[in-house]
Amino acid sequence: MKLLEYASKEVFRRFGLPVQEGKLAYTPEEARRVAETLKPPYVVKAQVPVGGRGKAGGVKLAHTPEEVEEKARHILNLTIKGVPVKKVLVTEAADIAHEYYLGVVVDRRNNQPVIMVSAEGGVDIEEVARTKPEAIHKLAVDPIWGLSDFQARQLAFRLFQDKKKALKAAGIIQKLYRAFQEVDAQLAEINPLVETPEGELLAVDAKIVVDDNALYRHPDLEQMRDMDYEEPKELEAKAADLSYVKLDGTIGCCVNGAGLAMATMDVIKHFGGEPANFLDIGGSSRPEKVIKAMEIITSDPNVKVIYFNIFGGITRCDDVARGLVEAFRTMEVKVPLVIRLTGTNEEEGRRILEESGIPLHTARTMSEGAQKAVALAQQAG
Ligand code: GDP
Ligand code: MN
């Protein structure tokens, strides 16, 4: 789960990292009122889950609350990398002498967190990594021992010659690492870490990505989940214990097991179709889950055909069949449905479907089902 800048800063604040005063606003007027409680000058910043907001015009300086209102009006009308801006963060502006980069990320190859620092901050760090890799200093941290003070100081001295500043930066690196570890982050990043003309250091931008698998340990962070930007159907699916990811194609998929779901999408693509979603109904197949899955899939207007690919193990084919019959009884299904049902209780499942008389295209194999689904999607245009 990606935390937006304002939420990431909230977390940083808890860990004692230096961040500017500021507050969220949903309207230009609200932005002005926030500014009235702060010291000028101000920055108005689009809160969207994508980077490069500055370049896209989503970060603007303002000198008066009226100007904040004007800038907020402009930014709230922007769409940045396909994401419409729904709220802005209004903060006190920092004076910038230099911009640095600080980040902690999980290095999957070495199974260790890696700290990265660079004096080339503010800009896209991937760009720096490509064009000037020597400008990024890295340190792998042993997760058991943690980050020692001397290691943090070593990194800090890569950025600052002045001892006082380096020690201050070392403290910030330590706090960033602590925050990263305590919230079970996959990424915690400050870009830029700003040095002011007075020699202060400030986290001007913040980004935290929390490992979804650890969210149950952080109900407070779960609350920061941004409903403004989440796909509502994905949340609904999560509540029903289904894994659903919306995609852009026309073939709605309903599968049991993540591996089979991936394979099904591959096979659909192999035969020239495009999946409309990834949907894993999971191991147990209570009929209610199948009904919910049908509701979610059919609510996507792009779906031209539905493909059920069920390989019964713990999942029982008769349960899936009952769920489908119930779904057809309670909702109007306007698109054709292809089903491949095999494994535990498959005869029982087939019998239930046949007796129900619901309109189905059946298939014996995954490939056959995918081909039928692709053909039906093409017929539907
Ligand atoms: P990003 O473009 O999405 O990474 O957004 P940032 O928060 O990093 O802001 C982009 C750029 O705007 C920064 O690199 C700064 O140059 C500038 N900026 C952001 N906040 C301030 C501020 O408080 N004062 C000044 N002078 N510039 C800022
Ligand atoms: Mn940034």
Side-chain angles (χ1 to χ4, degrees):
M1 179 179 80
K2 209 185 264 182
L3 295 180
L4 292 182
E5 178 192 3
Y6 80 94
S8 303
K9 283 184 169 170
E10 189 54 50
V11 173
F12 280 177
R13 211 174 265 129
R14 288 189 209 159
F15 286 88
L17 283 159
V19 293
Q20 295 140 293
E21 285 298 319
K23 254 179 108 178
L24 214 50
Y26 287 85
T27 63
E29 296 73 28
E30 202 184 344
R32 174 171 48 76
R33 284 197 297 276
V34 171
E36 281 162 359
T37 68
L38 303 171
K39 286 197 294 278
Y42 316 95
V43 202
V44 188
K45 310 179 79 175
Q47 296 299 288
V48 281
V50 292
R53 295 164 300 160
K55 271 190 206 152
V59 177
K60 295 279 181 210
L61 282 170
H63 299 278
T64 62
E66 290 68 37
E67 201 185 342
V68 166
E69 179 173 341
E70 191 186 305
K71 296 281 157 73
R73 180 163 291 121
H74 174 74
I75 293 174
L76 285 164
N77 271 319
L78 291 177
T79 295
I80 300 178
K81 294 183 183 163
V83 185
V85 180
K86 295 190 179 151
K87 55 196 166 197
V88 293
L89 176 65
V90 182
T91 71
E92 294 177 358
D95 245 352
I96 299 184
H98 193 85
E99 301 187 42
Y100 299 88
Y101 173 90
L102 287 189
V104 191
V105 62
V106 175
D107 179 352
R108 293 186 183 282
R109 218 168 308 158
N110 299 318
N111 304 319
Q112 280 182 309
V114 169
I115 304 180
M116 292 184 285
V117 305
S118 177
E120 314 263 330
V123 288
D124 187 2
I125 197 69
E126 279 86 19
E127 182 66 22
V128 179
R130 210 167 32 241
T131 56
K132 214 177 161 191
E134 70 281 3
I136 302 176
H137 309 283
K138 295 184 184 174
L139 174 83
V141 182
D142 184 315
I144 307 293
W145 287 107
L147 176 68
S148 7
D149 287 339
F150 81 88
Q151 290 178 310
R153 285 198 294 271
Q154 249 172 13
L155 278 172
F157 274 110
R158 299 280 198 163
L159 304 182
F160 299 95
Q161 320 232 289
D162 179 75
K163 192 174 155 202
K164 245 178 85 186
K165 276 185 208 162
L167 290 181
K168 208 182 277 179
I172 290 177
I173 293 170
Q174 276 286 17
K175 285 173 180 154
L176 181 65
Y177 183 75
R178 262 230 356 263
F180 167 86
Q181 205 181 25
E182 302 257 316
V183 307
D184 294 308
Q186 291 171 318
L187 171 86
E189 187 180 78
I190 305 176
N191 187 27
L193 175 75
V194 156
E195 180 185 3
T196 67
E198 297 77 38
E200 288 298 312
L201 295 177
L202 273 175
V204 158
D205 192 7
K207 181 176 172 188
I208 296 177
V209 180
V210 182
D211 186 340
D212 284 335
N213 297 308
L215 267 179
Y216 73 98
R217 310 209 303 180
H218 306 286
D220 55 325
L221 297 180
E222 176 80 54
Q223 295 217 319
M224 291 181 172
R225 182 186 287 280
D226 219 285
M227 298 307 178
D228 288 343
Y229 297 109
E230 296 267 349
E231 186 70 46
K233 286 293 159 199
E234 290 182 11
L235 292 172
E236 199 181 316
K238 192 163 183 256
D241 209 14
L242 303 166
S243 322
Y244 171 79
V245 180
K246 189 181 161 359
L247 302 168
D248 297 326
T250 54
I251 302 177
C253 305
C254 181
V255 184
N256 67 307
L260 187 60
M262 297 297 276
T264 304
M265 298 196 306
D266 282 350
V267 173
I268 286 173
K269 278 189 173 261
H270 175 76
F271 289 114
E274 287 294 333
N277 64 272
F278 169 103
L279 196 159
D280 172 12
I281 58 168
S284 100
S285 53
R286 286 174 290 109
E288 310 86 75
K289 275 177 120 178
V290 177
I291 298 170
K292 192 78 210 170
M294 281 294 283
E295 270 172 31
I296 291 171
I297 294 175
T298 53
S299 71
D300 176 354
N302 293 336
V303 169
K304 302 263 189 289
V305 53
I306 301 170
Y307 181 25
F308 264 67
N309 185 16
I310 303 297
F311 193 97
I314 298 169
T315 306
R316 295 166 31 166
C317 293
D318 55 324
D319 278 342
V320 174
R322 277 191 200 96
L324 259 179
V325 173
E326 187 59 20
F328 271 85
R329 206 178 58 75
T330 52
M331 68 180 99
E332 194 188 355
V333 184
K334 293 190 184 123
V335 294
L337 193 140
V338 179
I339 185 164
R340 177 245 186 169
L341 205 54
T342 192
T344 309
N345 294 0
E346 87 179 60
E347 290 80 15
E348 174 72 359
R350 288 229 180 81
R351 193 185 54 75
I352 292 169
L353 289 177
E354 247 160 58
E355 285 174 4
S356 75
I358 55 179
L360 291 173
H361 303 261
T362 55
R364 287 272 159 189
T365 67
M366 169 147 90
S367 295
E368 188 195 341
Q371 278 168 291
K372 283 191 175 171
V374 172
L376 286 163
Q378 278 162 357
Q379 276 170 33

